[in-house]
Amino acid sequence: MRKFFGITVVFAVLLTIVLPPKARAERKELAKIEDATAVLQQIVSIPEKNIPPALLRNAGGIAIIPGVIKAGFILGGRYGTGVLMVRNQEGEWSYPSFISLTGGSIGWQVGVESIDIILVFKHRKSIDRIVHGKFTLGADASVAAGPVGRQASAATDVQLKSEIYSYSRSRGLFAGLALEGAALQIDEEDNEALYGSRGRDARNILNDLVTTEHPEVRKLRTTLKKYTSKKK
């Protein structure tokens, strides 16, 4: 039995080595999409402490960035990669474009090394600006720590004035997060790895001009539609 297990491990390692570079890169990006789907499902399912349903139903776009890493202390920074999606006029969600998040250490709790981040965009205009170059939260668009819980739903449309609302999860805790100064940027290389050369232009992805039939992508879009549907 032990010998069989050893052979299986060696075979798996060899398979990884002999896979073409394109296939390895594609597998890496699909794993990121799977992580984003899991984060979305887990955060939205937190009882009484989740993102207000009204905010999700009226969102023009969303970014999901799993496992953002904190580096250093006080003068440290953060880095993470995830996906960005927009909703069209028919209410359907686009295919995911890959993005990166970088920035200073403001808003982190001492001792926290990794967090999952979700950004909810009220309108698509901010995402259009991200597509055209590096986008700084708080400078290019207002960002605020998002409210949590169903009790915040009634106030969402009237009282919340920021363009973007940020949420984080670390060590099982979920709350709004201060993200002023963090920068979002399209990851052209990751996009190309999954969609081909036309995917380097995120506009092609977000406008469904390039597509992919991978089940991981389909599951993410279906999950997001489920949580943001305006139908009762």
Side-chain angles (χ1 to χ4, degrees):
M1 183 71 175
R2 184 177 299 175
K3 181 178 180 181
F4 174 78
F5 177 75
I7 294 174
T8 302
V9 171
V10 171
F11 178 76
V13 172
L14 289 175
L15 183 62
T16 302
I17 295 174
V18 300
L19 276 175
K22 183 179 185 304
R24 292 202 301 270
E26 187 178 79
R27 185 60 254 171
K28 174 185 172 185
E29 309 321 325
L30 291 175
K32 291 180 183 179
I33 290 174
E34 288 181 313
D35 289 343
T37 303
V39 166
L40 178 64
Q41 291 174 321
Q42 293 162 13
I43 285 181
V44 173
S45 299
I46 298 174
E48 302 305 323
K49 293 287 286 183
N50 55 11
I51 301 172
L55 188 60
L56 285 174
R57 286 195 299 268
N58 293 305
I62 193 168
I64 308 167
I65 311 170
V68 177
I69 301 298
K70 171 186 172 184
F73 179 70
I74 300 178
L75 296 179
R78 53 178 169 243
Y79 176 78
T81 60
V83 297
L84 176 70
M85 302 169 71
V86 297
R87 182 151 45 184
N88 62 25
Q89 294 180 346
E90 288 72 40
E92 298 295 327
W93 286 94
S94 70
Y95 286 82
S97 169
F98 293 101
I99 56 170
S100 63
L101 181 145
T102 57
S105 56
I106 298 173
W108 287 75
Q109 293 178 320
V110 175
V112 174
E113 302 297 332
S114 174
I115 60 176
D116 302 319
I117 291 176
I118 288 184
L119 301 175
V120 180
F121 296 78
K122 290 181 69 177
H123 307 101
R124 180 166 175 164
K125 61 182 181 181
S126 294
I127 295 177
D128 291 337
R129 291 158 73 183
I130 295 173
V131 168
H132 288 89
K134 185 180 290 186
F135 180 94
T136 302
L137 296 168
D140 294 314
S142 59
V143 59
V148 297
R150 296 184 181 276
Q151 69 276 12
S153 298
T156 297
D157 295 329
V158 178
Q159 298 178 10
L160 302 183
K161 302 299 183 182
S162 290
E163 168 60 21
I164 305 167
Y165 292 93
S166 57
Y167 295 89
S168 68
R169 182 186 64 168
S170 62
R171 297 179 177 175
L173 300 177
F174 176 70
L177 175 71
L179 274 177
E180 290 87 352
L184 293 173
Q185 193 167 13
I186 297 297
D187 193 323
E188 295 180 347
E189 291 186 2
D190 283 1
N191 281 344
E192 183 174 6
L194 186 62
Y195 296 99
S197 58
R198 292 193 67 202
R200 291 187 68 88
D201 187 340
R203 290 172 294 186
N204 288 336
I205 299 171
L206 299 178
N207 290 312
D208 295 344
L209 299 178
V210 292
T211 62
T212 176
E213 297 303 320
H214 288 291
E216 294 88 347
V217 175
R218 185 164 56 250
K219 182 178 180 180
L220 174 58
R221 297 180 74 200
T222 300
T223 301
L224 187 55
K225 181 177 181 179
K226 171 185 174 182
Y227 292 132
T228 59
S229 175
K230 296 185 179 182
K231 296 179 180 180
K232 293 294 184 179

